Amino acid sequence: MVITKRGLVLSAAAMLLTAVTLANTGCSSKSLASFRGSPKELVDEVWQIIDKSYVDGTFNQVDWKAVRKDYLNRTYSTDEEAYKAVREMLKKLDDPYTRFMNPEEFKNMQVDTSGELTGVGIQLTQDEKTKKLVVISPIEDSPAFNAGIQAKDIISKIDGKSTEGMDTNQAVNLIRGKVDTQVTLTILRKNKEIEFKLKRAKIEIHPVRHSVQKSPIGEIGYIRLNQFSANAASEMRSSMQDLEKKKVTGYILDLRSNPGGLLYGSIEIARMWLKEGTIVSTVDRVGETDRQTANKKAITDKPLVILVDGGSASASEILSGALQDNKRGVLVGTKTFGKGLVQSVRGVGNGSGLAVTIAKYFTPSGRDINHLGIEPDVKVELTDAKKEELRRDRDKIGTTADPQYAKALEVLTKKVTGKTGDLKAQSKPNATPAKVKAAQPKPK
């Protein structure tokens, strides 16, 4: 589901290093051009949006009114000068997810999910503390994935240029390019630098794949969800309905390396698994809570195990947190990424764009997982050697040659047979569901 209020899209995803169009968002070049005046008006338009909707009413301890006075007292003779001023202004918020995009950058960002992207296939974010550029996860079958780039890798250089002090927009502009051209990324992994030469390509994304797997308890349904794109919910529904017709005894839902996507995609999919209960709560700066719940339209109530890892972020964490807190399924793998913020993306100026952090989200039990992530119920680490083996032979993913899948199958078998006594107890939530409040950052 995409919200189409003059180009507003609610997202729970990181920056995707691909080029996409704005189809299916209700946007057009005309509807995005809400600003047609002087460059100074763009600066004020951005300021006004932040003033009205930014998640933190203290603006991260910044005197936002003084900022407006400062930047509107300046003279801007070109759009480029206004763009630079807006970026300077937003940088004061110290929030890598709130960012300005010029027309070219806005056109290239991930607000459309047509399923065909152009780039290297990396989900990228900026660490809020270290300011380093961090890979959330590579897209399957992309140049980045096939080359061996992994979740949590730090991009230290792009074509030999240091990324020190570089934001995500600047990095994206350097990494993107025409199909079949090359870009060299220097990755820092466990204090070791590795150089990757990547050829940019057109990438097809199929958000949901499913299959019937043989097991000691009969046939089970294996579903791999790669991304919460606009068509992920419909594909998930079709996959589950097909597997139900085949009378599977249980399910393994694979959310590993899923960087997130559209907020409502995770809610729609959660409703396919949950008959009742809260799915997620979003909280804005004045504490107003939007609570999304199940609607008694679950497709199945058969036993479920969910695979997660450090590349499972944002919308993936909403879904896995909802299933865990409602005791609908058991999480197997490693701790998730830890992104608990919601952004709105809207058009400003003459085709430019603005992404603004407007809310935090909480799991049904009241957990704020931003930076903390979600701990699995059963922890299974993969060695670097095993990760490389699975990358080189992707046919092993989702088979007993995949240690995390093998453990998930073991857990599912015990759930189906009722022999769950030796399973690790479900993780205790970090907060009680009594009342969710707006969590304001502490003063610096």
Side-chain angles (χ1 to χ4, degrees), residues 94-96 126-133 163 165-167:
D94 198 24
D95 174 4
Q126 185 177 45
D127 187 280
E128 294 178 48
K129 292 182 179 179
T130 66
K131 305 303 178 187
K132 295 185 183 297
L133 297 173
T163 59
M166 192 179 292
D167 63 22

Side-chain angles (χ1 to χ4, degrees), residues 255-258 307-313 332-337 404:
L255 298 179
R256 291 176 296 178
S257 297
N258 183 324
L307 285 168
V308 294
D309 64 8
S312 306
V332 173
T334 56
K335 186 171 72 172
T336 62
F337 187 83
Q404 290 174 330

Side-chain angles (χ1 to χ4, degrees), residues 292-327:
Q292 296 289 331
T293 60
N295 56 7
K296 300 185 184 297
K297 293 183 179 180
I299 294 173
T300 181
D301 61 357
K302 291 175 182 174
L304 170 66
V305 177
I306 306 99
L307 285 168
V308 294
D309 64 8
S312 306
S314 205
S316 291
E317 294 170 297
I318 290 174
L319 177 57
S320 57
L323 297 174
Q324 184 184 56
D325 282 2
N326 284 287
K327 301 191 186 318

Side-chain angles (χ1 to χ4, degrees), residues 403-414:
Q404 290 174 330
Y405 175 89
K407 174 58 73 171
L409 180 57
E410 177 188 329
V411 171
L412 184 64
T413 299
K414 291 179 179 179

Side-chain angles (χ1 to χ4, degrees), residues 275-300:
K275 183 178 180 181
E276 57 187 11
T278 297
I279 295 170
V280 66
S281 298
T282 53
V283 181
D284 66 17
R285 72 188 189 195
V286 296
E288 295 175 353
T289 303
D290 173 39
R291 189 176 293 271
Q292 296 289 331
T293 60
N295 56 7
K296 300 185 184 297
K297 293 183 179 180
I299 294 173
T300 181

Side-chain angles (χ1 to χ4, degrees), residues 127-189:
D127 187 280
E128 294 178 48
K129 292 182 179 179
T130 66
K131 305 303 178 187
K132 295 185 183 297
L133 297 173
V134 181
V135 174
I136 291 185
S137 69
I139 297 173
E140 287 192 15
D141 294 327
S142 70
F145 181 93
N146 293 332
I149 289 179
Q150 300 177 10
K152 303 290 186 179
D153 280 347
I154 295 171
I155 300 178
S156 59
K157 296 177 185 176
I158 302 171
D159 282 334
K161 182 177 181 179
S162 172
T163 59
E164 187 76 26
M166 192 179 292
D167 63 22
T168 52
N169 282 328
Q170 293 170 313
V172 167
N173 285 338
L174 291 175
I175 295 174
R176 284 193 183 120
K178 295 181 179 180
V179 172
D180 291 333
T181 59
Q182 185 172 282
V183 60
T184 300
L185 301 183
T186 304
I187 296 294
L188 186 63
R189 182 186 300 164

Side-chain angles (χ1 to χ4, degrees), residues 181-395:
T181 59
Q182 185 172 282
V183 60
T184 300
L185 301 183
T186 304
I187 296 294
L188 186 63
R189 182 186 300 164
K190 296 181 180 178
N191 297 319
K192 179 182 178 182
E193 277 198 341
I194 311 171
E195 193 173 272
F196 293 90
K197 294 182 178 180
L198 306 175
K199 182 180 285 189
R200 301 175 179 101
K202 188 172 289 186
I203 305 159
E204 290 188 7
I205 294 181
H206 303 285
V208 182
R209 299 174 183 175
H210 75 279
S211 61
V212 174
Q213 307 273 34
K214 302 289 185 181
S215 80
I217 52 174
E219 294 183 330
I220 65 167
Y222 173 69
I223 303 176
R224 185 161 176 82
L225 175 58
N226 295 317
Q227 188 180 23
F228 289 85
S229 57
N231 55 341
S234 62
E235 288 194 18
M236 176 64 72
R237 183 176 300 279
S238 296
S239 293
M240 292 176 68
Q241 289 172 339
D242 180 56
L243 292 169
E244 281 295 289
K245 288 178 183 177
K246 293 176 180 175
K247 308 293 185 183
V248 296
T249 58
Y251 289 88
I252 294 177
L253 174 60
D254 195 343
L255 298 179
R256 291 176 296 178
S257 297
N258 183 324
L262 301 179
L263 173 65
Y264 283 101
S266 63
I267 295 169
E268 288 182 65
I269 291 172
R271 286 176 174 147
M272 298 176 198
W273 297 100
L274 284 171
K275 183 178 180 181
E276 57 187 11
T278 297
I279 295 170
V280 66
S281 298
T282 53
V283 181
D284 66 17
R285 72 188 189 195
V286 296
E288 295 175 353
T289 303
D290 173 39
R291 189 176 293 271
Q292 296 289 331
T293 60
N295 56 7
K296 300 185 184 297
K297 293 183 179 180
I299 294 173
T300 181
D301 61 357
K302 291 175 182 174
L304 170 66
V305 177
I306 306 99
L307 285 168
V308 294
D309 64 8
S312 306
S314 205
S316 291
E317 294 170 297
I318 290 174
L319 177 57
S320 57
L323 297 174
Q324 184 184 56
D325 282 2
N326 284 287
K327 301 191 186 318
R328 176 63 183 88
V330 178
L331 267 59
V332 173
T334 56
K335 186 171 72 172
T336 62
F337 187 83
K339 179 180 181 290
L341 303 174
V342 180
Q343 283 74 44
S344 69
V345 181
R346 69 187 78 199
V348 294
N350 290 321
S352 297
L354 180 67
V356 184
T357 300
I358 60 169
K360 302 185 76 171
Y361 69 74
F362 295 79
T363 72
S365 68
R367 283 185 287 175
D368 174 6
I369 59 88
N370 201 43
H371 300 304
L372 302 175
I374 293 175
E375 293 285 352
D377 301 304
V378 181
K379 189 172 183 178
V380 182
E381 295 272 6
L382 293 181
T383 65
D384 288 343
K386 179 57 70 172
K387 289 178 183 177
E388 180 63 17
E389 178 187 334
L390 292 174
R391 184 190 68 79
R392 289 183 179 277
D393 188 355
R394 294 182 55 253
D395 289 339

